[in-house]
Amino acid sequence: MRTITAHEFPQEIAYVYARARRLEWIAVGYIASSTAFLFFVMGSSQAMRTSFFEDAVSIVPAVAFLVCTRLARRAPTDNFPYGLHRATSIGHLIAALALSTMGLFLLIEGGLKLISQEKATIGTVTFLGHSIWAGWPMLIALLYTAVHPSSLGA
């Protein structure tokens, strides 16, 4: 089965489409690195744990876009005589479900912590022989995760 090239789109749209795919690949790599960074610094902090899960789930829409746009570019077959262009709609559904799941998780987790009045303490870590407050690496991790939404527009 051959893949339809960019001749299916007008030239200006093909350029935007190729750029969007390239940016999504960059976003997947960046989100994976920020998720790993958050995992290593989250400790017992509920806020950092939530940020970690949020980053872990935010990779789903980017991957769904890449997979579904690849499917949508396939040539028509006997079973799909008009092609698989609607695969992008499934990608939107997957992204919406991932974001809705994350919102539901935040609501339930935050509500349970509020009801139980649980307060996590942020301890210290040893770095190069010095004891530092664990919040400082957490703040650096949060600053690192803020770069992606502001620079890639996600």
Side-chain angles (χ1 to χ4, degrees), residues 53-80:
F53 284 125
E54 182 236 334
D55 267 17
V57 170
S58 71
I59 205 167
V60 173
V63 171
F65 173 81
L66 290 169
V67 169
C68 292
T69 53
R70 184 168 178 92
L71 284 173
R73 290 178 19 209
R74 287 191 177 176
T77 63
D78 291 336
N79 290 336
F80 300 99

mmCIF file of all heavy atoms in Angstrom, residues 53-80:
data_model
loop_
_atom_site.group_PDB
_atom_site.id
_atom_site.type_symbol
_atom_site.label_atom_id
_atom_site.label_comp_id
_atom_site.label_asym_id
_atom_site.label_seq_id
_atom_site.Cartn_x
_atom_site.Cartn_y
_atom_site.Cartn_z
ATOM 1 N N PHE A 53 1.949 13.338 36.124
ATOM 2 C CA PHE A 53 0.881 12.639 35.411
ATOM 3 C C PHE A 53 0.335 13.483 34.266
ATOM 4 O O PHE A 53 -0.001 12.955 33.204
ATOM 5 C CB PHE A 53 -0.252 12.237 36.368
ATOM 6 C CG PHE A 53 0.090 11.058 37.227
ATOM 7 C CD1 PHE A 53 0.005 11.140 38.599
ATOM 8 C CD2 PHE A 53 0.517 9.867 36.661
ATOM 9 C CE1 PHE A 53 0.332 10.059 39.395
ATOM 10 C CE2 PHE A 53 0.843 8.781 37.450
ATOM 11 C CZ PHE A 53 0.751 8.874 38.821
ATOM 12 N N GLU A 54 0.261 14.779 34.481
ATOM 13 C CA GLU A 54 -0.221 15.661 33.418
ATOM 14 C C GLU A 54 0.716 15.613 32.209
ATOM 15 O O GLU A 54 0.273 15.516 31.066
ATOM 16 C CB GLU A 54 -0.329 17.086 33.944
ATOM 17 C CG GLU A 54 -0.866 18.061 32.930
ATOM 18 C CD GLU A 54 0.066 19.230 32.712
ATOM 19 O OE1 GLU A 54 0.837 19.559 33.602
ATOM 20 O OE2 GLU A 54 -0.006 19.788 31.609
ATOM 21 N N ASP A 55 2.011 15.640 32.463
ATOM 22 C CA ASP A 55 2.968 15.542 31.351
ATOM 23 C C ASP A 55 2.926 14.173 30.693
ATOM 24 O O ASP A 55 3.043 14.056 29.474
ATOM 25 C CB ASP A 55 4.386 15.840 31.843
ATOM 26 C CG ASP A 55 4.754 17.283 31.682
ATOM 27 O OD1 ASP A 55 3.828 18.104 31.508
ATOM 28 O OD2 ASP A 55 5.953 17.600 31.715
ATOM 29 N N ALA A 56 2.767 13.133 31.497
ATOM 30 C CA ALA A 56 2.711 11.779 30.941
ATOM 31 C C ALA A 56 1.491 11.614 30.030
ATOM 32 O O ALA A 56 1.586 10.995 28.965
ATOM 33 C CB ALA A 56 2.683 10.740 32.062
ATOM 34 N N VAL A 57 0.369 12.185 30.418
ATOM 35 C CA VAL A 57 -0.846 12.070 29.604
ATOM 36 C C VAL A 57 -0.790 13.020 28.413
ATOM 37 O O VAL A 57 -1.362 12.730 27.357
ATOM 38 C CB VAL A 57 -2.098 12.321 30.476
ATOM 39 C CG1 VAL A 57 -3.349 12.445 29.638
ATOM 40 C CG2 VAL A 57 -2.268 11.193 31.482
ATOM 41 N N SER A 58 -0.071 14.129 28.535
ATOM 42 C CA SER A 58 -0.047 15.100 27.437
ATOM 43 C C SER A 58 0.720 14.604 26.216
ATOM 44 O O SER A 58 0.655 15.222 25.154
ATOM 45 C CB SER A 58 0.535 16.431 27.913
ATOM 46 O OG SER A 58 1.923 16.312 28.148
ATOM 47 N N ILE A 59 1.401 13.498 26.331
ATOM 48 C CA ILE A 59 2.084 12.940 25.165
ATOM 49 C C ILE A 59 1.088 12.229 24.247
ATOM 50 O O ILE A 59 1.334 12.079 23.051
ATOM 51 C CB ILE A 59 3.237 12.007 25.595
ATOM 52 C CG1 ILE A 59 4.280 11.925 24.486
ATOM 53 C CG2 ILE A 59 2.750 10.637 25.987
ATOM 54 C CD1 ILE A 59 5.579 11.307 24.917
ATOM 55 N N VAL A 60 -0.056 11.829 24.797
ATOM 56 C CA VAL A 60 -1.046 11.078 24.016
ATOM 57 C C VAL A 60 -1.576 11.880 22.822
ATOM 58 O O VAL A 60 -1.618 11.355 21.704
ATOM 59 C CB VAL A 60 -2.197 10.579 24.921
ATOM 60 C CG1 VAL A 60 -3.322 9.953 24.112
ATOM 61 C CG2 VAL A 60 -1.659 9.579 25.937
ATOM 62 N N PRO A 61 -1.993 13.155 22.977
ATOM 63 C CA PRO A 61 -2.480 13.886 21.804
ATOM 64 C C PRO A 61 -1.423 14.044 20.706
ATOM 65 O O PRO A 61 -1.744 13.953 19.517
ATOM 66 C CB PRO A 61 -2.891 15.250 22.365
ATOM 67 C CG PRO A 61 -3.195 14.999 23.782
ATOM 68 C CD PRO A 61 -2.239 13.924 24.206
ATOM 69 N N ALA A 62 -0.171 14.241 21.094
ATOM 70 C CA ALA A 62 0.880 14.390 20.088
ATOM 71 C C ALA A 62 1.094 13.098 19.314
ATOM 72 O O ALA A 62 1.207 13.106 18.080
ATOM 73 C CB ALA A 62 2.182 14.829 20.759
ATOM 74 N N VAL A 63 1.130 11.987 20.028
ATOM 75 C CA VAL A 63 1.304 10.691 19.356
ATOM 76 C C VAL A 63 0.070 10.365 18.507
ATOM 77 O O VAL A 63 0.199 9.846 17.388
ATOM 78 C CB VAL A 63 1.594 9.588 20.389
ATOM 79 C CG1 VAL A 63 1.565 8.213 19.761
ATOM 80 C CG2 VAL A 63 2.943 9.835 21.054
ATOM 81 N N ALA A 64 -1.121 10.676 19.016
ATOM 82 C CA ALA A 64 -2.345 10.428 18.243
ATOM 83 C C ALA A 64 -2.337 11.230 16.945
ATOM 84 O O ALA A 64 -2.729 10.730 15.890
ATOM 85 C CB ALA A 64 -3.579 10.771 19.075
ATOM 86 N N PHE A 65 -1.875 12.476 17.003
ATOM 87 C CA PHE A 65 -1.784 13.292 15.796
ATOM 88 C C PHE A 65 -0.847 12.650 14.780
ATOM 89 O O PHE A 65 -1.169 12.547 13.596
ATOM 90 C CB PHE A 65 -1.297 14.703 16.148
ATOM 91 C CG PHE A 65 -1.006 15.553 14.944
ATOM 92 C CD1 PHE A 65 -2.032 16.192 14.274
ATOM 93 C CD2 PHE A 65 0.292 15.710 14.472
ATOM 94 C CE1 PHE A 65 -1.771 16.973 13.159
ATOM 95 C CE2 PHE A 65 0.566 16.482 13.364
ATOM 96 C CZ PHE A 65 -0.472 17.118 12.701
ATOM 97 N N LEU A 66 0.330 12.225 15.238
ATOM 98 C CA LEU A 66 1.309 11.638 14.325
ATOM 99 C C LEU A 66 0.796 10.341 13.703
ATOM 100 O O LEU A 66 0.937 10.124 12.490
ATOM 101 C CB LEU A 66 2.625 11.390 15.057
ATOM 102 C CG LEU A 66 3.398 12.656 15.433
ATOM 103 C CD1 LEU A 66 4.526 12.312 16.384
ATOM 104 C CD2 LEU A 66 3.911 13.351 14.191
ATOM 105 N N VAL A 67 0.186 9.490 14.506
ATOM 106 C CA VAL A 67 -0.317 8.210 13.992
ATOM 107 C C VAL A 67 -1.491 8.436 13.046
ATOM 108 O O VAL A 67 -1.540 7.872 11.942
ATOM 109 C CB VAL A 67 -0.722 7.276 15.154
ATOM 110 C CG1 VAL A 67 -1.477 6.064 14.657
ATOM 111 C CG2 VAL A 67 0.505 6.854 15.938
ATOM 112 N N CYS A 68 -2.434 9.265 13.446
ATOM 113 C CA CYS A 68 -3.647 9.455 12.639
ATOM 114 C C CYS A 68 -3.371 10.212 11.346
ATOM 115 O O CYS A 68 -3.992 9.934 10.325
ATOM 116 C CB CYS A 68 -4.720 10.147 13.466
ATOM 117 S SG CYS A 68 -5.332 9.083 14.784
ATOM 118 N N THR A 69 -2.453 11.168 11.366
ATOM 119 C CA THR A 69 -2.147 11.850 10.108
ATOM 120 C C THR A 69 -1.385 10.925 9.165
ATOM 121 O O THR A 69 -1.515 11.035 7.948
ATOM 122 C CB THR A 69 -1.331 13.137 10.340
ATOM 123 O OG1 THR A 69 -0.177 12.844 11.116
ATOM 124 C CG2 THR A 69 -2.173 14.190 11.018
ATOM 125 N N ARG A 70 -0.629 10.004 9.713
ATOM 126 C CA ARG A 70 0.037 9.006 8.856
ATOM 127 C C ARG A 70 -1.002 8.098 8.207
ATOM 128 O O ARG A 70 -0.908 7.771 7.032
ATOM 129 C CB ARG A 70 1.041 8.210 9.662
ATOM 130 C CG ARG A 70 1.825 7.246 8.806
ATOM 131 C CD ARG A 70 3.009 6.678 9.567
ATOM 132 N NE ARG A 70 3.725 5.718 8.775
ATOM 133 C CZ ARG A 70 4.747 6.016 7.997
ATOM 134 N NH1 ARG A 70 5.142 7.261 7.902
ATOM 135 N NH2 ARG A 70 5.356 5.083 7.309
ATOM 136 N N LEU A 71 -1.995 7.692 8.987
ATOM 137 C CA LEU A 71 -3.069 6.864 8.423
ATOM 138 C C LEU A 71 -3.867 7.638 7.377
ATOM 139 O O LEU A 71 -4.259 7.071 6.349
ATOM 140 C CB LEU A 71 -4.017 6.395 9.528
ATOM 141 C CG LEU A 71 -3.533 5.284 10.426
ATOM 142 C CD1 LEU A 71 -4.522 5.054 11.557
ATOM 143 C CD2 LEU A 71 -3.334 4.011 9.630
ATOM 144 N N ALA A 72 -4.116 8.902 7.640
ATOM 145 C CA ALA A 72 -4.928 9.707 6.725
ATOM 146 C C ALA A 72 -4.251 9.901 5.376
ATOM 147 O O ALA A 72 -4.928 10.150 4.375
ATOM 148 C CB ALA A 72 -5.237 11.058 7.357
ATOM 149 N N ARG A 73 -2.947 9.787 5.324
ATOM 150 C CA ARG A 73 -2.221 9.976 4.068
ATOM 151 C C ARG A 73 -2.199 8.717 3.194
ATOM 152 O O ARG A 73 -1.696 8.768 2.077
ATOM 153 C CB ARG A 73 -0.786 10.412 4.371
ATOM 154 C CG ARG A 73 -0.709 11.801 4.931
ATOM 155 C CD ARG A 73 0.680 12.248 5.280
ATOM 156 N NE ARG A 73 1.726 11.485 4.636
ATOM 157 C CZ ARG A 73 2.933 11.296 5.146
ATOM 158 N NH1 ARG A 73 3.223 11.798 6.305
ATOM 159 N NH2 ARG A 73 3.839 10.616 4.501
ATOM 160 N N ARG A 74 -2.723 7.632 3.686
ATOM 161 C CA ARG A 74 -2.703 6.398 2.899
ATOM 162 C C ARG A 74 -3.627 6.502 1.693
ATOM 163 O O ARG A 74 -4.632 7.207 1.708
ATOM 164 C CB ARG A 74 -3.123 5.206 3.750
ATOM 165 C CG ARG A 74 -2.071 4.813 4.736
ATOM 166 C CD ARG A 74 -2.397 3.500 5.356
ATOM 167 N NE ARG A 74 -1.329 3.107 6.264
ATOM 168 C CZ ARG A 74 -1.370 2.039 6.998
ATOM 169 N NH1 ARG A 74 -2.428 1.245 6.951
ATOM 170 N NH2 ARG A 74 -0.372 1.745 7.786
ATOM 171 N N ALA A 75 -3.269 5.765 0.693
ATOM 172 C CA ALA A 75 -4.051 5.762 -0.551
ATOM 173 C C ALA A 75 -5.379 5.028 -0.347
ATOM 174 O O ALA A 75 -5.488 4.154 0.514
ATOM 175 C CB ALA A 75 -3.244 5.088 -1.653
ATOM 176 N N PRO A 76 -6.393 5.361 -1.142
ATOM 177 C CA PRO A 76 -7.667 4.649 -1.055
ATOM 178 C C PRO A 76 -7.495 3.159 -1.383
ATOM 179 O O PRO A 76 -6.637 2.781 -2.173
ATOM 180 C CB PRO A 76 -8.540 5.337 -2.111
ATOM 181 C CG PRO A 76 -7.904 6.663 -2.320
ATOM 182 C CD PRO A 76 -6.446 6.474 -2.080
ATOM 183 N N THR A 77 -8.316 2.332 -0.747
ATOM 184 C CA THR A 77 -8.300 0.890 -0.991
ATOM 185 C C THR A 77 -9.709 0.455 -1.368
ATOM 186 O O THR A 77 -10.629 1.270 -1.427
ATOM 187 C CB THR A 77 -7.847 0.135 0.269
ATOM 188 O OG1 THR A 77 -8.798 0.372 1.314
ATOM 189 C CG2 THR A 77 -6.464 0.565 0.730
ATOM 190 N N ASP A 78 -9.887 -0.834 -1.593
ATOM 191 C CA ASP A 78 -11.223 -1.342 -1.888
ATOM 192 C C ASP A 78 -12.159 -1.173 -0.700
ATOM 193 O O ASP A 78 -13.344 -0.872 -0.867
ATOM 194 C CB ASP A 78 -11.151 -2.825 -2.282
ATOM 195 C CG ASP A 78 -10.468 -3.021 -3.629
ATOM 196 O OD1 ASP A 78 -10.480 -2.063 -4.438
ATOM 197 O OD2 ASP A 78 -9.926 -4.116 -3.861
ATOM 198 N N ASN A 79 -11.652 -1.371 0.498
ATOM 199 C CA ASN A 79 -12.484 -1.214 1.693
ATOM 200 C C ASN A 79 -12.743 0.248 2.039
ATOM 201 O O ASN A 79 -13.746 0.574 2.657
ATOM 202 C CB ASN A 79 -11.817 -1.896 2.892
ATOM 203 C CG ASN A 79 -11.821 -3.394 2.768
ATOM 204 O OD1 ASN A 79 -12.649 -3.971 2.075
ATOM 205 N ND2 ASN A 79 -10.877 -4.039 3.435
ATOM 206 N N PHE A 80 -11.811 1.129 1.678
ATOM 207 C CA PHE A 80 -11.942 2.559 1.954
ATOM 208 C C PHE A 80 -11.708 3.323 0.654
ATOM 209 O O PHE A 80 -10.634 3.881 0.434
ATOM 210 C CB PHE A 80 -10.937 2.999 3.024
ATOM 211 C CG PHE A 80 -11.109 2.291 4.332
ATOM 212 C CD1 PHE A 80 -10.294 1.215 4.668
ATOM 213 C CD2 PHE A 80 -12.088 2.696 5.227
ATOM 214 C CE1 PHE A 80 -10.450 0.558 5.863
ATOM 215 C CE2 PHE A 80 -12.243 2.043 6.427
ATOM 216 C CZ PHE A 80 -11.436 0.959 6.748
#
